Amino acid sequence: MTRRVDVLLVVPATRCAPPDPLGVGAPRPGRPLGAAGSGPGRPLDGVVDTVAQEIRAQARAGYRTALLPLAAGDDGAGRLDARLVERVERGEAELLLDAAPVHAGLVVVHGADALDGIEPAKLPPAVAEVCVIVADGAPTTGLTDVEHRLEAWLGTAPWWAPTDPVVRAVLARDDRRLLEDDWTPVVDVAAWRPRPARIVSQLPVLGWHTRTVTAPWPADEASLLQVHPDREDVEVHLLGGGHSLRGRFGSFPPSNWLLHAAGMVRPRWFLAGLDAYVRFPEPGQDTERHRLLEALASGLPTVVAPHLAERIGPGVTELDPVGVLAHVQALHADPVRYRDAALQARAVAEDWFDHRVHRRRLGALIGPPAGDQHTSGAPVPLAELTQDGSVPVPIDDVPPRRRLLLVSSNGVGVGHLMRLMSYAKHAPDDVEPVFLTFSQALQVVDDTGYLVEYLASRTESDAHPLHWHPMLRERVVELIDRYDARAVVFDGTAPYQGLLDAVAERPDVALLWSRRAMWRPGISNRVLDRETSRFDAVLEPGELAADDDRGATRAERTRATQLAPVTYLDHAELLDRATARAELGLDPDEPAVLVNLGAGNIDDPSSVVGQVIERLSREGGIQVRVIRSVIAQRDVSLPDHVRPLSVYPLARYLAAFDLAVAAAGYNSFHELALAGVPTAWLPNRSTSLDDQAARARFAHRIGIGIDLGDGAPERVDAALDALLDPERRQRMHERAVARRVDGGGAQGMQRIIEVMDDPARRRLPPLALEQRIARGDPRRGGRWRRQGSAASGGAAAGASAGGGGAS
């Protein structure tokens, strides 16, 4: 049976040893598709970048993509690069793993050298309507030989697609069939959020980034110091390549250089800290043109060597090394000129190198995806090739987005972070959330698509409060200025003194505290006592157990904005029982139990986790899923009916479970109650403020769950006896459904916008702000005078220096 695909990508691969007739290597643990690492500075790096971006663009446009990895040799057997394996594992492309015939609308050959020595008869049978050879450089294989091999294999003569004018000129001299437009590399511009189109640092900051070990250094030390000066009036920031620096240039780096090891800082964050992108590799040594595209997409004025400029085209500034410093300094000194250069960089990225460019050329070659509703075979207009099918708005017509800085403490779990994400997901299109977190769960935020910055907490960094709080103040001030933040929203049990000091230096920036209730009785702090004078608003996420709240926040309830419970997902976003079970691979007929206690080991009979597993093992016919963090401490042998579970967000799948055993933290409590899952609650009594015991008692009292108290074996047994009774579970479920309430995230964002857009908060020009701060004027109508850094040893610092408490 013939397999039909829209696009078949023939991609270069690493030779297998021994050869693998399937062309992808033998499956291995952790690399199910036989992925090959990309290797330091291999010539294929640029080609793999291009292919990875094209796969993503094609998948988002609805094109069905297949990959055929080839390595030069008798049989073409090769192992696929790890970056392309990731695209396959994400479902964006499929591999040709057998010899079944293929019919492709378009075959795109990346790296024609891979065809060297491969007989067409040894390739999978294929037919192509159109074939294109992408030439990223002058091919080393005989051009005519490549054309003949492809025509013999596919039944159609190929076209050549040069990636830039330099390669086009070489191919034109040989009188090859050329596509009219260059096959420029592309990048997902939307993924590279533009930095503010203005200078954000006192000194010019220039630099570049690389993802290879052999960095794109200039040819000699003199050129290096011209483009990356050793001077006190400029900073040089580099991401990656540090290992090769000393070996090539000796006693570097200079004192004004800041080197980040590759992988230690996300490129998106790194680029946001530069004022100019400067890249001057030795000719023939730079295979990473996508790094330049990422800089342009980030809105960075970009300066490159002449030999790079002629290959990139518009958007970059071509200079000799001697002129780089003067150019960057001139941009830094002229805000208007800098703004124009930054906006031009982003506009060029949108117009010339965005995924839409690739989707447009596919439409011109083969029309819309085979599964598309378009009936005409004519090329598809650009407006119809956007990801969502909508007409793109010209970049000049996009209104400026107001930015919020959302600050999360580290806490015991991720509750603080998830509440802020709940607010963020309800932000309107003209409001952009930016995160600063001390939680090591920042990957969750980044994966969702938000811009996130990380700062190690005082405890994590082992810093003294008198040092850490001023550092926090400087970081927050810098982020407010960099992103032009209109408001700062903090979620944690006690705002950090460094945060309070930072916002005091920016009096026109709104400050809000998202403060959870249910504090343990007898615990308070002086920040809470003076919260109405320190904050423009206090948001209090709703508590189902509010009637049993005996903590210090109860007296402040009327002065805070009361929200419904704040969960990342509302009830309408949860999967129904049948769908959730199908996605988790659960038997639709057998009972399913979720264990989410966050600590302990399964094979420790004395732990509550061990007690629960042992008790359920005696029942039989029960499916048990344990959140992976419980067993992540070390490898353990799981009983046959127990499986680890690692899904995000977990709340989306909760309806799949008949009962649960969980800790009584804010997030898990309200998510399980929202899903109506009868639960045995184990309160964490080691939290600094959160009264989880009161939540567990409340759930027990109103009949939506069972309080496990101290987790004694007899209480665990009694609770599981009750929850394994279908009739009792049904009553608990019905009571939980009757009390169901959500929507706190949307309410919180509405209140944040009201405070941020309050007409009484007039945006003052910089000089007026400086004069107000110098005079020590009240920050907000006489309600708060700035608390100096000396207070860092006082109440705020004492309550928050080590983190924000439980989540």
Side-chain angles (χ1 to χ4, degrees), residues 146-161:
V146 169
E147 292 173 353
H148 288 166
R149 289 176 187 273
L150 286 174
E151 188 168 3
W153 176 39
L154 301 170
T156 185
W159 291 83
W160 289 88

Side-chain angles (χ1 to χ4, degrees), residues 3-21:
R3 177 186 304 174
R4 301 188 66 88
V5 297
D6 295 304
V7 183
L8 171 59
L9 296 176
V10 180
V11 299
T14 304
R15 286 288 299 161
C16 293
D20 178 359

Side-chain angles (χ1 to χ4, degrees), residues 12 29 53 139-140 170 225 321 411-412 446 453 537 545 572 619-620 771 773 797 805:
Q53 290 294 328
T140 59
V170 173
L225 290 179
V412 173
D446 187 68
E453 303 269 355
E619 294 294 326
Q771 291 173 343
I773 294 171

Side-chain angles (χ1 to χ4, degrees), residues 415-684:
H416 301 299
L417 201 54
M418 298 308 295
R419 277 188 292 278
L420 291 179
M421 289 182 64
S422 178
Y423 300 145
K425 72 191 292 277
H426 291 97
D429 291 340
D430 62 340
V431 173
E432 180 178 14
V434 177
F435 285 78
L436 170 64
T437 182
F438 315 130
S439 171
Q440 295 186 11
L442 74 162
Q443 184 67 47
V444 171
V445 183
D446 187 68
D447 287 345
T448 310
Y450 297 113
L451 183 61
V452 57
E453 303 269 355
Y454 173 75
L455 178 66
S457 68
R458 190 195 68 78
T459 303
E460 185 71 20
S461 60
D462 195 26
H464 192 280
L466 291 176
H467 298 149
W468 188 81
H469 286 280
M471 178 179 66
L472 172 62
R473 175 187 59 78
E474 293 179 5
R475 182 70 177 276
V476 173
V477 168
E478 187 260 333
L479 292 177
I480 289 173
D481 291 346
R482 177 193 300 175
Y483 297 112
D484 194 24
R486 298 281 298 275
V488 174
V489 183
F490 172 77
D491 193 292
T493 53
Y496 304 86
Q497 186 62 50
L499 174 68
L500 301 177
D501 288 346
V503 183
E505 294 189 19
R506 298 295 181 263
D508 59 341
V509 175
L511 178 61
L512 299 92
W513 184 9
S514 175
R515 174 190 43 73
R516 194 189 55 227
M518 293 295 291
W519 289 20
R520 292 165 59 190
I523 298 179
S524 183
N525 61 51
R526 285 187 283 173
V527 178
L528 179 65
D529 297 338
R530 296 199 299 270
E531 66 177 18
T532 56
S533 65
R534 290 178 178 262
F535 303 95
D536 293 288
V538 176
L539 310 176
E540 186 175 292
E543 278 277 0
L544 290 179
D547 290 346
D548 287 17
D549 187 355
R550 299 294 181 266
T553 63
R554 186 181 180 93
E556 307 293 331
R557 186 175 294 172
T558 58
R559 291 186 282 184
T561 299
Q562 299 295 307
L563 309 176
V566 177
T567 52
Y568 181 58
L569 298 180
D570 293 331
H571 180 258
E573 300 174 274
L574 308 185
L575 296 177
D576 61 71
R577 176 183 173 87
T579 304
R581 285 205 161 203
E583 291 202 11
L584 295 180
L586 292 170
D587 187 302
D589 300 320
E590 291 187 354
V593 182
L594 176 70
V595 180
N596 185 16
L597 294 175
N601 287 310
I602 286 179
D603 55 353
D604 178 5
S606 65
S607 71
V608 175
V609 179
Q611 295 175 48
V612 170
I613 298 303
E614 194 278 332
R615 173 68 172 79
L616 294 175
S617 298
R618 300 199 303 264
E619 294 294 326
I622 295 179
Q623 307 169 90
V624 182
R625 296 296 180 267
V626 183
I627 296 302
R628 185 175 295 275
S629 61
V630 176
I631 62 173
Q633 298 179 25
R634 55 192 174 92
D635 293 333
V636 296
S637 298
L638 301 177
D640 291 339
H641 66 291
V642 178
R643 296 286 186 275
L645 180 62
S646 179
V647 293
Y648 173 82
L650 174 63
R652 180 173 169 81
Y653 305 91
L654 289 179
F657 296 96
D658 298 279
L659 62 145
V661 182
Y666 182 92
N667 273 33
S668 57
F669 184 84
H670 290 93
E671 287 172 351
L672 284 162
L674 187 66
V677 181
T679 303
W681 298 107
L682 180 69
N684 182 349

